Amino acid sequence: MSDAALLNPPTTHYEFFGPAGTMVVTVATTVIPYLLYYGCETAEQCPPTSWSAWQTRLQRLTLADLYDSHIMLLYLAWFAYLVLLYYVVPGSTKPGTVLRTGQRLLYRINGFRSLLITCGLMFTVHRLYGPAPFIYVYDHYVHWLTASCLFATVQAVLLYIWSFRGPSTSSATATIKLKSDADLKADGNGAAASPSTGAAQPVLLALGGNSPSAFYNFFIGRELNPRLGDFDLKVFCELRPGIIGWFVLNFACLIKQSQVLNGYITESMALIFFLQGLYIFDTLIYESSVLTTMDVTTDGFGWMLSFGDLTWVPFVFSVQARFLALQPVVLGPVLTATVVAIGVASFLTFRLSNSQKNIFRTDPHDPRVRGLKYIETATGSKLLISGWWGLSRHINYLGDWLFGLSWCLTTGFRSPIPYFYVLYFAVLLIHRERRDDHKCRQKYKKDWERYCSIVKYRIIPGIY
Ligand SMILES: NC(=O)C1=CN([C@@H]2O[C@H](COP(=O)(O)OP(=O)(O)OC[C@H]3O[C@@H](n4cnc5c(N)ncnc54)[C@H](OP(=O)(O)O)[C@@H]3O)[C@@H](O)[C@H]2O)C=CC1
Ligand SMILES: CC(C)=CCC[C@@H](C)[C@H]1CC=C2C3=C(CC[C@@]21C)[C@@]1(C)CC[C@H](O)C(C)(C)[C@@H]1CC3
């Protein structure tokens, strides 16, 4: 067998109901952000209650409503601006998890500083030019959506084609090699190939992205970590243009509301801006923890993540703020207190559980995790069975979902559209938990069964 075939075994197990399922998901997820927009274009009919009202709305759409070449150029400038920050802003370097080649890629960590610089820039623009630039951003919401969608799709097509290139030597500054085979064993992520010696290597594909179906591979992503030199496109897109863009969109919505309300904003708008801002800041403060997520360690960089990172995150996650810009909601003290209570409790669950696992995996002797119980597995990895991780096997998902619910509640109960987020997120997390379970079952075998018999619930303690 050739080196490439040894390193990249064929994919035999399909996710998303196979190629046909991925085609349905591609079409549906492209259409949904537009439906969320046109379904809530005015405060009165959000969504339109009759099919004829939908038809009137959609039939009068022209290409100019959907696409604007100036916004396309501005979108490219936005992407280029963040690439520039990636290179010029000082930061640290962190290694990712061990790859099947035995190498660990190095990642540049300066996303939080990029966010702070962008906040500073937004503040300055607002001081100099007032609300106008942000109203412009708000008014062109659909044009930004189309620009990001086109960019994400072209990027995915180019990456798919590029993944067929021949073997190459990896950049010495971008990778580190392991000291011993024991390190390689510790990861156990699929078929192990011998650690590289600096000779030309085949492109490392995602274990799930090497199926007989070209479309399926395009969707899931063929190449695991596409890079231009040291620049890792997947991690860059996961954390910067979409996540920071979401923050800018939310700010534009806040400014729009204050224009409508003559300089005031409602407590619901302040809440959504604060709660989602907390999530965005948290994501970039803990930037390096994304390196151990399934997206980075397991999934290729295909259409799903390119579109998910660049389009779905900013345009589906900002629906609540856009709704509130259109239709100011006064929550009153009871609902405000409820939103704050759910928000604080769920954010703490999400953050503390993720941190507990990260600390434990980095150093099990750290005083903050010393008393916790765990089981040793044959691979050498340890699995926590007490603390947050004794409550359920994905208590972090529960915290994340409930935090999302607190965002939706800021919009009150006038429209179901802002609640789409919790529906999508429940489907994503249930599916993700099953994928993770499949991965861990293959990796830990009998140890995983033992672990599941101790920590019985998948996500919701006592229920699921
Ligand atoms: N807002 C959004 O749209 C989304 C948010 N997220 C969030 O991203 C975060 C990360 O999620 P994700 O990457 O899916 O998964 P997790 O952070 O939960 O990591 C799962 C991995 O952790 C290890 N692990 C599992 N159980 C234990 C244990 N008991 N003790 C120690 N290690 C364990 C296993 O990896 P190993 O092989 O190393 O043992 C497993 O594969 C979550 O908080 C999630 O809510 C995720 C998707 C979308
Ligand atoms: C079919 C389709 C459109 C799928 C796209 C799914 C993506 C939207 C999500 C897959 C995993 C994600 C993560 C985050 C955002 C959503 C996507 C891209 C995340 C960056 C959100 C912020 C968190 O703090 C996080 C860094 C843990 C998280 C990582 C996973």
Side-chain angles (χ1 to χ4, degrees), residues 86 93-109 169-178 196 201 204 223-235 288 291 296-297:
Y86 172 90
T93 304
K94 288 266 162 67
T97 56
V98 183
L99 301 172
R100 304 200 299 283
T101 54
Q103 290 174 313
R104 298 178 82 170
L105 295 173
L106 296 178
Y107 294 87
R108 192 168 167 76
I109 306 292
T169 45
S170 46
S171 152
T173 54
T175 58
I176 48 174
K177 293 187 194 94
L178 291 174
S196 82
Q201 279 182 29
L204 182 66
E223 187 169 356
L224 186 60
N225 309 110
R227 287 186 154 211
L228 296 166
D230 297 2
F231 183 73
D232 191 285
L233 258 173
K234 184 165 66 169
V235 171
S288 59
L291 303 180
V296 177
T297 61

mmCIF file of all heavy atoms in Angstrom, residues 86 93-109 169-178 196 201 204 223-235 288 291 296-297:
data_model
loop_
_atom_site.group_PDB
_atom_site.id
_atom_site.type_symbol
_atom_site.label_atom_id
_atom_site.label_comp_id
_atom_site.label_asym_id
_atom_site.label_seq_id
_atom_site.Cartn_x
_atom_site.Cartn_y
_atom_site.Cartn_z
ATOM 1 N N TYR A 86 -3.795 39.128 12.179
ATOM 2 C CA TYR A 86 -3.227 37.817 12.531
ATOM 3 C C TYR A 86 -1.693 37.872 12.435
ATOM 4 O O TYR A 86 -0.995 37.341 13.299
ATOM 5 C CB TYR A 86 -3.801 36.764 11.575
ATOM 6 C CG TYR A 86 -3.161 35.403 11.690
ATOM 7 C CD1 TYR A 86 -3.668 34.448 12.570
ATOM 8 C CD2 TYR A 86 -2.038 35.071 10.929
ATOM 9 C CE1 TYR A 86 -3.077 33.201 12.684
ATOM 10 C CE2 TYR A 86 -1.440 33.831 11.036
ATOM 11 C CZ TYR A 86 -1.960 32.899 11.915
ATOM 12 O OH TYR A 86 -1.367 31.669 12.038
ATOM 13 N N THR A 93 2.378 31.197 20.777
ATOM 14 C CA THR A 93 2.232 30.056 19.867
ATOM 15 C C THR A 93 1.874 28.831 20.692
ATOM 16 O O THR A 93 2.503 28.568 21.719
ATOM 17 C CB THR A 93 3.569 29.811 19.132
ATOM 18 O OG1 THR A 93 3.929 31.032 18.479
ATOM 19 C CG2 THR A 93 3.434 28.723 18.093
ATOM 20 N N LYS A 94 0.857 28.101 20.259
ATOM 21 C CA LYS A 94 0.428 26.897 21.001
ATOM 22 C C LYS A 94 0.411 25.700 20.072
ATOM 23 O O LYS A 94 -0.015 25.822 18.915
ATOM 24 C CB LYS A 94 -1.000 27.095 21.544
ATOM 25 C CG LYS A 94 -1.105 28.065 22.695
ATOM 26 C CD LYS A 94 -1.033 27.324 24.026
ATOM 27 C CE LYS A 94 -0.704 28.213 25.194
ATOM 28 N NZ LYS A 94 -1.697 29.182 25.557
ATOM 29 N N PRO A 95 0.830 24.518 20.582
ATOM 30 C CA PRO A 95 0.729 23.332 19.736
ATOM 31 C C PRO A 95 -0.682 22.747 19.762
ATOM 32 O O PRO A 95 -1.346 22.787 20.795
ATOM 33 C CB PRO A 95 1.731 22.362 20.373
ATOM 34 C CG PRO A 95 1.834 22.792 21.794
ATOM 35 C CD PRO A 95 1.473 24.257 21.878
ATOM 36 N N GLY A 96 -1.108 22.206 18.634
ATOM 37 C CA GLY A 96 -2.402 21.523 18.577
ATOM 38 C C GLY A 96 -2.247 20.093 19.060
ATOM 39 O O GLY A 96 -1.196 19.710 19.584
ATOM 40 N N THR A 97 -3.292 19.262 18.872
ATOM 41 C CA THR A 97 -3.202 17.859 19.317
ATOM 42 C C THR A 97 -2.287 17.077 18.356
ATOM 43 O O THR A 97 -1.969 17.552 17.266
ATOM 44 C CB THR A 97 -4.593 17.194 19.352
ATOM 45 O OG1 THR A 97 -5.164 17.326 18.064
ATOM 46 C CG2 THR A 97 -5.485 17.812 20.391
ATOM 47 N N VAL A 98 -1.923 15.875 18.784
ATOM 48 C CA VAL A 98 -1.015 15.051 17.965
ATOM 49 C C VAL A 98 -1.765 14.529 16.738
ATOM 50 O O VAL A 98 -2.844 13.962 16.857
ATOM 51 C CB VAL A 98 -0.485 13.858 18.796
ATOM 52 C CG1 VAL A 98 0.500 13.050 17.985
ATOM 53 C CG2 VAL A 98 0.116 14.345 20.097
ATOM 54 N N LEU A 99 -1.162 14.733 15.566
ATOM 55 C CA LEU A 99 -1.797 14.273 14.327
ATOM 56 C C LEU A 99 -1.411 12.822 14.028
ATOM 57 O O LEU A 99 -0.507 12.273 14.663
ATOM 58 C CB LEU A 99 -1.339 15.162 13.161
ATOM 59 C CG LEU A 99 -1.652 16.654 13.289
ATOM 60 C CD1 LEU A 99 -0.977 17.424 12.161
ATOM 61 C CD2 LEU A 99 -3.147 16.872 13.276
ATOM 62 N N ARG A 100 -2.038 12.236 13.028
ATOM 63 C CA ARG A 100 -1.697 10.853 12.673
ATOM 64 C C ARG A 100 -0.290 10.739 12.103
ATOM 65 O O ARG A 100 0.266 9.668 12.013
ATOM 66 C CB ARG A 100 -2.699 10.310 11.628
ATOM 67 C CG ARG A 100 -4.135 10.383 12.036
ATOM 68 C CD ARG A 100 -4.989 9.423 11.241
ATOM 69 N NE ARG A 100 -4.994 9.651 9.810
ATOM 70 C CZ ARG A 100 -5.684 10.624 9.197
ATOM 71 N NH1 ARG A 100 -6.402 11.458 9.899
ATOM 72 N NH2 ARG A 100 -5.661 10.734 7.897
ATOM 73 N N THR A 101 0.264 11.863 11.654
ATOM 74 C CA THR A 101 1.632 11.848 11.135
ATOM 75 C C THR A 101 2.643 11.838 12.271
ATOM 76 O O THR A 101 3.837 11.726 12.042
ATOM 77 C CB THR A 101 1.901 13.114 10.315
ATOM 78 O OG1 THR A 101 1.573 14.226 11.154
ATOM 79 C CG2 THR A 101 1.089 13.155 9.055
ATOM 80 N N GLY A 102 2.154 12.024 13.513
ATOM 81 C CA GLY A 102 3.058 12.120 14.657
ATOM 82 C C GLY A 102 3.502 13.554 14.911
ATOM 83 O O GLY A 102 4.250 13.807 15.851
ATOM 84 N N GLN A 103 3.024 14.489 14.090
ATOM 85 C CA GLN A 103 3.415 15.889 14.287
ATOM 86 C C GLN A 103 2.340 16.643 15.063
ATOM 87 O O GLN A 103 1.195 16.180 15.168
ATOM 88 C CB GLN A 103 3.562 16.572 12.927
ATOM 89 C CG GLN A 103 4.748 16.101 12.142
ATOM 90 C CD GLN A 103 4.713 16.721 10.752
ATOM 91 O OE1 GLN A 103 3.691 16.723 10.089
ATOM 92 N NE2 GLN A 103 5.864 17.233 10.336
ATOM 93 N N ARG A 104 2.735 17.781 15.587
ATOM 94 C CA ARG A 104 1.756 18.711 16.173
ATOM 95 C C ARG A 104 1.931 20.033 15.445
ATOM 96 O O ARG A 104 3.046 20.542 15.348
ATOM 97 C CB ARG A 104 2.029 18.916 17.669
ATOM 98 C CG ARG A 104 1.889 17.634 18.456
ATOM 99 C CD ARG A 104 2.202 17.855 19.901
ATOM 100 N NE ARG A 104 1.065 18.406 20.602
ATOM 101 C CZ ARG A 104 1.010 18.523 21.933
ATOM 102 N NH1 ARG A 104 2.036 18.161 22.689
ATOM 103 N NH2 ARG A 104 -0.059 19.001 22.509
ATOM 104 N N LEU A 105 0.829 20.572 14.938
ATOM 105 C CA LEU A 105 0.908 21.860 14.258
ATOM 106 C C LEU A 105 0.977 22.968 15.300
ATOM 107 O O LEU A 105 0.448 22.823 16.403
ATOM 108 C CB LEU A 105 -0.325 22.072 13.384
ATOM 109 C CG LEU A 105 -0.489 21.114 12.208
ATOM 110 C CD1 LEU A 105 -1.835 21.323 11.533
ATOM 111 C CD2 LEU A 105 0.646 21.299 11.209
ATOM 112 N N LEU A 106 1.641 24.047 14.926
ATOM 113 C CA LEU A 106 1.703 25.202 15.841
ATOM 114 C C LEU A 106 0.690 26.255 15.397
ATOM 115 O O LEU A 106 0.497 26.475 14.204
ATOM 116 C CB LEU A 106 3.109 25.783 15.829
ATOM 117 C CG LEU A 106 4.192 24.840 16.365
ATOM 118 C CD1 LEU A 106 5.568 25.490 16.263
ATOM 119 C CD2 LEU A 106 3.917 24.443 17.811
ATOM 120 N N TYR A 107 0.044 26.870 16.374
ATOM 121 C CA TYR A 107 -0.994 27.865 16.070
ATOM 122 C C TYR A 107 -0.640 29.198 16.718
ATOM 123 O O TYR A 107 -0.184 29.237 17.863
ATOM 124 C CB TYR A 107 -2.354 27.400 16.599
ATOM 125 C CG TYR A 107 -2.870 26.173 15.887
ATOM 126 C CD1 TYR A 107 -2.511 24.894 16.320
ATOM 127 C CD2 TYR A 107 -3.699 26.293 14.771
ATOM 128 C CE1 TYR A 107 -2.981 23.767 15.663
ATOM 129 C CE2 TYR A 107 -4.172 25.181 14.112
ATOM 130 C CZ TYR A 107 -3.815 23.914 14.562
ATOM 131 O OH TYR A 107 -4.272 22.807 13.904
ATOM 132 N N ARG A 108 -0.914 30.254 15.971
ATOM 133 C CA ARG A 108 -0.674 31.599 16.487
ATOM 134 C C ARG A 108 -1.913 32.046 17.270
ATOM 135 O O ARG A 108 -3.033 31.997 16.757
ATOM 136 C CB ARG A 108 -0.445 32.517 15.290
ATOM 137 C CG ARG A 108 0.088 33.857 15.617
ATOM 138 C CD ARG A 108 0.523 34.502 14.296
ATOM 139 N NE ARG A 108 0.780 35.913 14.469
ATOM 140 C CZ ARG A 108 1.869 36.396 15.047
ATOM 141 N NH1 ARG A 108 2.807 35.582 15.481
ATOM 142 N NH2 ARG A 108 2.035 37.688 15.175
ATOM 143 N N ILE A 109 -1.689 32.466 18.527
ATOM 144 C CA ILE A 109 -2.811 32.855 19.386
ATOM 145 C C ILE A 109 -2.779 34.371 19.593
ATOM 146 O O ILE A 109 -1.999 34.884 20.405
ATOM 147 C CB ILE A 109 -2.717 32.118 20.752
ATOM 148 C CG1 ILE A 109 -2.613 30.595 20.576
ATOM 149 C CG2 ILE A 109 -3.881 32.486 21.681
ATOM 150 C CD1 ILE A 109 -3.850 29.920 20.021
ATOM 151 N N THR A 169 6.803 18.940 1.761
ATOM 152 C CA THR A 169 7.443 18.964 3.080
ATOM 153 C C THR A 169 6.781 20.066 3.894
ATOM 154 O O THR A 169 6.524 21.148 3.388
ATOM 155 C CB THR A 169 8.953 19.266 2.977
ATOM 156 O OG1 THR A 169 9.095 20.341 2.071
ATOM 157 C CG2 THR A 169 9.737 18.063 2.505
ATOM 158 N N SER A 170 6.512 19.770 5.190
ATOM 159 C CA SER A 170 5.827 20.788 5.990
ATOM 160 C C SER A 170 6.821 21.826 6.480
ATOM 161 O O SER A 170 7.991 21.533 6.687
ATOM 162 C CB SER A 170 5.113 20.141 7.168
ATOM 163 O OG SER A 170 5.959 19.226 7.778
ATOM 164 N N SER A 171 6.314 23.062 6.670
ATOM 165 C CA SER A 171 7.172 24.160 7.112
ATOM 166 C C SER A 171 7.733 23.880 8.505
ATOM 167 O O SER A 171 6.994 23.526 9.419
ATOM 168 C CB SER A 171 6.332 25.437 7.120
ATOM 169 O OG SER A 171 6.815 26.317 8.071
ATOM 170 N N ALA A 172 9.019 24.052 8.650
ATOM 171 C CA ALA A 172 9.675 23.729 9.930
ATOM 172 C C ALA A 172 9.150 24.585 11.075
ATOM 173 O O ALA A 172 9.082 24.148 12.212
ATOM 174 C CB ALA A 172 11.167 23.914 9.793
ATOM 175 N N THR A 173 8.750 25.826 10.774
ATOM 176 C CA THR A 173 8.301 26.699 11.862
ATOM 177 C C THR A 173 6.859 26.395 12.267
ATOM 178 O O THR A 173 6.408 26.817 13.299
ATOM 179 C CB THR A 173 8.360 28.175 11.429
ATOM 180 O OG1 THR A 173 7.620 28.281 10.227
ATOM 181 C CG2 THR A 173 9.762 28.656 11.256
ATOM 182 N N ALA A 174 6.135 25.662 11.405
ATOM 183 C CA ALA A 174 4.710 25.472 11.684
ATOM 184 C C ALA A 174 4.404 24.173 12.386
ATOM 185 O O ALA A 174 3.286 23.943 12.811
ATOM 186 C CB ALA A 174 3.931 25.536 10.378
ATOM 187 N N THR A 175 5.370 23.269 12.504
ATOM 188 C CA THR A 175 5.086 21.982 13.137
ATOM 189 C C THR A 175 6.179 21.627 14.130
ATOM 190 O O THR A 175 7.314 22.097 14.031
ATOM 191 C CB THR A 175 5.044 20.844 12.093
ATOM 192 O OG1 THR A 175 6.302 20.822 11.414
ATOM 193 C CG2 THR A 175 3.932 21.020 11.096
ATOM 194 N N ILE A 176 5.816 20.781 15.099
ATOM 195 C CA ILE A 176 6.858 20.175 15.922
ATOM 196 C C ILE A 176 6.691 18.675 15.843
ATOM 197 O O ILE A 176 5.576 18.176 15.714
ATOM 198 C CB ILE A 176 6.803 20.651 17.393
ATOM 199 C CG1 ILE A 176 5.378 20.571 17.934
ATOM 200 C CG2 ILE A 176 7.398 22.009 17.569
ATOM 201 C CD1 ILE A 176 5.283 20.877 19.414
ATOM 202 N N LYS A 177 7.809 17.961 15.921
ATOM 203 C CA LYS A 177 7.714 16.506 15.863
ATOM 204 C C LYS A 177 7.718 15.958 17.267
ATOM 205 O O LYS A 177 8.225 16.570 18.195
ATOM 206 C CB LYS A 177 8.885 15.957 15.059
ATOM 207 C CG LYS A 177 8.782 16.377 13.613
ATOM 208 C CD LYS A 177 9.812 15.716 12.759
ATOM 209 C CE LYS A 177 9.879 16.434 11.430
ATOM 210 N NZ LYS A 177 10.925 17.454 11.433
ATOM 211 N N LEU A 178 7.170 14.764 17.417
ATOM 212 C CA LEU A 178 7.107 14.173 18.747
ATOM 213 C C LEU A 178 8.417 13.575 19.170
ATOM 214 O O LEU A 178 9.215 13.138 18.353
ATOM 215 C CB LEU A 178 6.051 13.073 18.743
ATOM 216 C CG LEU A 178 4.651 13.626 18.613
ATOM 217 C CD1 LEU A 178 3.683 12.495 18.461
ATOM 218 C CD2 LEU A 178 4.324 14.453 19.821
ATOM 219 N N SER A 196 7.080 11.836 10.953
ATOM 220 C CA SER A 196 7.772 12.310 9.758
ATOM 221 C C SER A 196 9.242 12.559 10.018
ATOM 222 O O SER A 196 9.666 12.807 11.129
ATOM 223 C CB SER A 196 7.131 13.592 9.279
ATOM 224 O OG SER A 196 7.641 14.642 10.031
ATOM 225 N N GLN A 201 5.580 14.606 2.474
ATOM 226 C CA GLN A 201 4.470 13.815 3.021
ATOM 227 C C GLN A 201 3.215 14.020 2.201
ATOM 228 O O GLN A 201 2.967 15.122 1.718
ATOM 229 C CB GLN A 201 4.144 14.315 4.421
ATOM 230 C CG GLN A 201 5.046 13.772 5.472
ATOM 231 C CD GLN A 201 4.593 14.297 6.825
ATOM 232 O OE1 GLN A 201 3.415 14.564 7.026
ATOM 233 N NE2 GLN A 201 5.519 14.437 7.732
ATOM 234 N N LEU A 204 -2.585 15.350 4.536
ATOM 235 C CA LEU A 204 -3.310 14.639 5.601
ATOM 236 C C LEU A 204 -4.806 14.926 5.462
ATOM 237 O O LEU A 204 -5.241 16.074 5.611
ATOM 238 C CB LEU A 204 -2.791 15.097 6.966
ATOM 239 C CG LEU A 204 -3.417 14.393 8.167
ATOM 240 C CD1 LEU A 204 -3.051 12.913 8.189
ATOM 241 C CD2 LEU A 204 -2.967 15.059 9.470
ATOM 242 N N GLU A 223 -9.299 17.880 3.321
ATOM 243 C CA GLU A 223 -8.039 18.077 4.048
ATOM 244 C C GLU A 223 -8.318 18.480 5.495
ATOM 245 O O GLU A 223 -9.205 19.288 5.777
ATOM 246 C CB GLU A 223 -7.199 19.156 3.349
ATOM 247 C CG GLU A 223 -5.823 19.269 3.969
ATOM 248 C CD GLU A 223 -4.861 20.125 3.153
ATOM 249 O OE1 GLU A 223 -5.244 20.579 2.056
ATOM 250 O OE2 GLU A 223 -3.737 20.334 3.636
ATOM 251 N N LEU A 224 -7.528 17.898 6.413
ATOM 252 C CA LEU A 224 -7.770 18.151 7.840
ATOM 253 C C LEU A 224 -7.359 19.566 8.250
ATOM 254 O O LEU A 224 -8.118 20.264 8.919
ATOM 255 C CB LEU A 224 -7.011 17.103 8.675
ATOM 256 C CG LEU A 224 -7.254 17.126 10.173
ATOM 257 C CD1 LEU A 224 -8.717 16.881 10.518
ATOM 258 C CD2 LEU A 224 -6.385 16.074 10.872
ATOM 259 N N ASN A 225 -6.165 19.965 7.865
ATOM 260 C CA ASN A 225 -5.658 21.276 8.316
ATOM 261 C C ASN A 225 -5.061 22.073 7.160
ATOM 262 O O ASN A 225 -3.836 22.243 7.107
ATOM 263 C CB ASN A 225 -4.546 21.098 9.369
ATOM 264 C CG ASN A 225 -4.960 20.187 10.489
ATOM 265 O OD1 ASN A 225 -4.462 19.072 10.611
ATOM 266 N ND2 ASN A 225 -5.867 20.645 11.303
ATOM 267 N N PRO A 226 -5.876 22.548 6.220
ATOM 268 C CA PRO A 226 -5.283 23.290 5.098
ATOM 269 C C PRO A 226 -4.548 24.542 5.571
ATOM 270 O O PRO A 226 -5.088 25.300 6.395
ATOM 271 C CB PRO A 226 -6.485 23.651 4.225
ATOM 272 C CG PRO A 226 -7.688 23.417 5.051
ATOM 273 C CD PRO A 226 -7.339 22.475 6.148
ATOM 274 N N ARG A 227 -3.332 24.698 5.102
ATOM 275 C CA ARG A 227 -2.500 25.826 5.540
ATOM 276 C C ARG A 227 -1.817 26.488 4.362
ATOM 277 O O ARG A 227 -1.450 25.807 3.400
ATOM 278 C CB ARG A 227 -1.406 25.330 6.498
ATOM 279 C CG ARG A 227 -1.959 24.959 7.836
ATOM 280 C CD ARG A 227 -0.900 24.600 8.831
ATOM 281 N NE ARG A 227 -1.450 24.872 10.151
ATOM 282 C CZ ARG A 227 -0.747 25.252 11.208
ATOM 283 N NH1 ARG A 227 0.558 25.411 11.114
ATOM 284 N NH2 ARG A 227 -1.336 25.482 12.362
ATOM 285 N N LEU A 228 -1.622 27.807 4.484
ATOM 286 C CA LEU A 228 -0.773 28.528 3.543
ATOM 287 C C LEU A 228 0.444 28.925 4.358
ATOM 288 O O LEU A 228 0.387 29.868 5.148
ATOM 289 C CB LEU A 228 -1.486 29.774 3.018
ATOM 290 C CG LEU A 228 -2.750 29.508 2.181
ATOM 291 C CD1 LEU A 228 -3.575 30.769 2.002
ATOM 292 C CD2 LEU A 228 -2.360 28.934 0.829
ATOM 293 N N GLY A 229 1.512 28.153 4.238
ATOM 294 C CA GLY A 229 2.662 28.353 5.127
ATOM 295 C C GLY A 229 2.228 28.053 6.545
ATOM 296 O O GLY A 229 1.690 26.986 6.832
ATOM 297 N N ASP A 230 2.404 29.051 7.443
ATOM 298 C CA ASP A 230 2.024 28.861 8.848
ATOM 299 C C ASP A 230 0.564 29.232 9.107
ATOM 300 O O ASP A 230 0.072 29.101 10.217
ATOM 301 C CB ASP A 230 2.870 29.776 9.755
ATOM 302 C CG ASP A 230 4.321 29.424 9.684
ATOM 303 O OD1 ASP A 230 4.660 28.513 8.911
ATOM 304 O OD2 ASP A 230 5.115 30.067 10.407
ATOM 305 N N PHE A 231 -0.097 29.758 8.091
ATOM 306 C CA PHE A 231 -1.441 30.311 8.284
ATOM 307 C C PHE A 231 -2.485 29.200 8.181
ATOM 308 O O PHE A 231 -2.691 28.619 7.113
ATOM 309 C CB PHE A 231 -1.687 31.390 7.228
ATOM 310 C CG PHE A 231 -3.006 32.087 7.356
ATOM 311 C CD1 PHE A 231 -3.220 32.993 8.376
ATOM 312 C CD2 PHE A 231 -4.040 31.837 6.464
ATOM 313 C CE1 PHE A 231 -4.443 33.644 8.503
ATOM 314 C CE2 PHE A 231 -5.262 32.481 6.576
ATOM 315 C CZ PHE A 231 -5.456 33.386 7.600
ATOM 316 N N ASP A 232 -3.136 28.895 9.321
ATOM 317 C CA ASP A 232 -4.106 27.809 9.361
ATOM 318 C C ASP A 232 -5.507 28.363 9.079
ATOM 319 O O ASP A 232 -6.101 29.040 9.916
ATOM 320 C CB ASP A 232 -4.074 27.132 10.738
ATOM 321 C CG ASP A 232 -4.860 25.842 10.731
ATOM 322 O OD1 ASP A 232 -6.107 25.908 10.735
ATOM 323 O OD2 ASP A 232 -4.236 24.777 10.711
ATOM 324 N N LEU A 233 -5.990 28.044 7.869
ATOM 325 C CA LEU A 233 -7.265 28.647 7.426
ATOM 326 C C LEU A 233 -8.450 28.223 8.287
ATOM 327 O O LEU A 233 -9.336 29.020 8.578
ATOM 328 C CB LEU A 233 -7.533 28.193 5.998
ATOM 329 C CG LEU A 233 -7.221 29.194 4.911
ATOM 330 C CD1 LEU A 233 -7.375 28.543 3.555
ATOM 331 C CD2 LEU A 233 -8.160 30.390 4.997
ATOM 332 N N LYS A 234 -8.462 26.950 8.716
ATOM 333 C CA LYS A 234 -9.629 26.448 9.451
ATOM 334 C C LYS A 234 -9.766 27.155 10.808
ATOM 335 O O LYS A 234 -10.839 27.665 11.140
ATOM 336 C CB LYS A 234 -9.534 24.930 9.635
ATOM 337 C CG LYS A 234 -10.754 24.345 10.311
ATOM 338 C CD LYS A 234 -10.866 22.833 10.191
ATOM 339 C CE LYS A 234 -9.778 22.087 10.909
ATOM 340 N NZ LYS A 234 -10.067 20.646 10.988
ATOM 341 N N VAL A 235 -8.678 27.202 11.561
ATOM 342 C CA VAL A 235 -8.758 27.826 12.897
ATOM 343 C C VAL A 235 -8.987 29.333 12.760
ATOM 344 O O VAL A 235 -9.736 29.935 13.535
ATOM 345 C CB VAL A 235 -7.498 27.490 13.723
ATOM 346 C CG1 VAL A 235 -7.463 28.288 15.006
ATOM 347 C CG2 VAL A 235 -7.497 25.999 14.040
ATOM 348 N N SER A 288 -7.222 29.096 22.585
ATOM 349 C CA SER A 288 -6.466 27.864 22.338
ATOM 350 C C SER A 288 -7.294 26.613 22.641
ATOM 351 O O SER A 288 -6.952 25.526 22.178
ATOM 352 C CB SER A 288 -5.165 27.851 23.131
ATOM 353 O OG SER A 288 -5.461 27.955 24.489
ATOM 354 N N LEU A 291 -8.510 24.333 19.859
ATOM 355 C CA LEU A 291 -7.587 23.383 19.212
ATOM 356 C C LEU A 291 -7.909 21.930 19.550
ATOM 357 O O LEU A 291 -7.470 21.021 18.863
ATOM 358 C CB LEU A 291 -6.131 23.692 19.589
ATOM 359 C CG LEU A 291 -5.656 25.114 19.256
ATOM 360 C CD1 LEU A 291 -4.214 25.313 19.663
ATOM 361 C CD2 LEU A 291 -5.840 25.404 17.764
ATOM 362 N N VAL A 296 -11.543 20.977 14.923
ATOM 363 C CA VAL A 296 -10.129 21.123 14.577
ATOM 364 C C VAL A 296 -9.436 19.757 14.508
ATOM 365 O O VAL A 296 -8.648 19.507 13.595
ATOM 366 C CB VAL A 296 -9.423 22.067 15.582
ATOM 367 C CG1 VAL A 296 -7.928 22.183 15.278
ATOM 368 C CG2 VAL A 296 -10.080 23.433 15.549
ATOM 369 N N THR A 297 -9.753 18.855 15.460
ATOM 370 C CA THR A 297 -9.012 17.582 15.506
ATOM 371 C C THR A 297 -9.544 16.537 14.524
ATOM 372 O O THR A 297 -8.799 15.671 14.094
ATOM 373 C CB THR A 297 -9.098 16.954 16.917
ATOM 374 O OG1 THR A 297 -10.483 16.697 17.207
ATOM 375 C CG2 THR A 297 -8.532 17.855 17.976
#
